[in-house]
Amino acid sequence: LAEAAGGCCPGASRNKFAYNEAGQVRIRAGLPIYECNSRCRCGADCPNRVVQKGIRYDLCIFRTGNGRGWGVRTLERIRKNSFVMEYVGEIITSEEAERRGQVYDRQGATYLFDLDYVEDVYTVDAAH
């Protein structure tokens, strides 16, 4: 992979693409990923545009048999470090997540996902 060739701009990642040729993440977990964008001279086929291409796997939403709610699965093999889908929401502190979690528990639903790569400080709340 020619690092900054073809007009790509991975400068924010210190001139390293976050992905290998197969679209798998190759940087250390917890580091931010900077993809090429409208400011680049590269095109839509650039290997540094993985998340923007969206879901590439056939996913199935199903009701769990053990009463824990809904789940997502696929029948195809997903290679390690591959992008599957984004989980989008508001980034809040863990303290705020605790408060909202109590409300969500009373409603019988939760949308919280802890961002605990380094330390347990932030949570994504996908309710909004």
Side-chain angles (χ1 to χ4, degrees):
L1 202 63
E3 293 298 6
C8 292
C9 59
S13 301
R14 300 193 172 172
N15 297 318
K16 291 184 178 181
F17 287 146
Y19 311 103
N20 65 18
E21 294 85 359
Q24 296 166 285
V25 175
R26 68 178 197 166
I27 61 173
R28 184 170 45 89
L31 291 177
I33 293 175
Y34 299 94
E35 292 196 354
C36 288
N37 54 62
S38 60
R39 293 185 171 191
C40 299
R41 292 189 307 264
C42 61
D45 59 339
C46 176
N48 198 40
R49 294 177 181 259
V50 173
V51 173
Q52 343 175 4
K53 293 178 184 174
I55 299 171
R56 299 288 182 198
Y57 297 100
D58 288 327
L59 301 176
C60 173
I61 298 172
F62 67 99
R63 187 96 172 144
T64 62
N66 59 7
R68 294 177 73 184
W70 293 92
V72 178
R73 67 178 165 211
T74 183
L75 299 177
E76 36 185 325
R77 182 175 177 267
I78 299 175
R79 295 177 64 189
K80 182 178 178 179
N81 297 323
S82 296
F83 169 75
V84 176
M85 64 190 312
E86 6 178 20
Y87 194 79
V88 181
E90 178 184 10
I91 297 181
I92 58 176
T93 64
S94 294
E95 291 80 23
E96 177 64 10
E98 280 294 320
R99 189 187 70 71
R100 292 185 189 184
Q102 292 175 4
V103 173
Y104 294 151
D105 287 346
R106 288 193 296 273
Q107 297 171 345
T110 185
Y111 308 95
L112 302 173
F113 181 82
D114 290 336
L115 299 175
D116 56 2
Y117 286 118
V118 179
E119 52 188 271
D120 191 20
V121 178
Y122 296 105
T123 299
V124 175
D125 182 355
H128 305 286

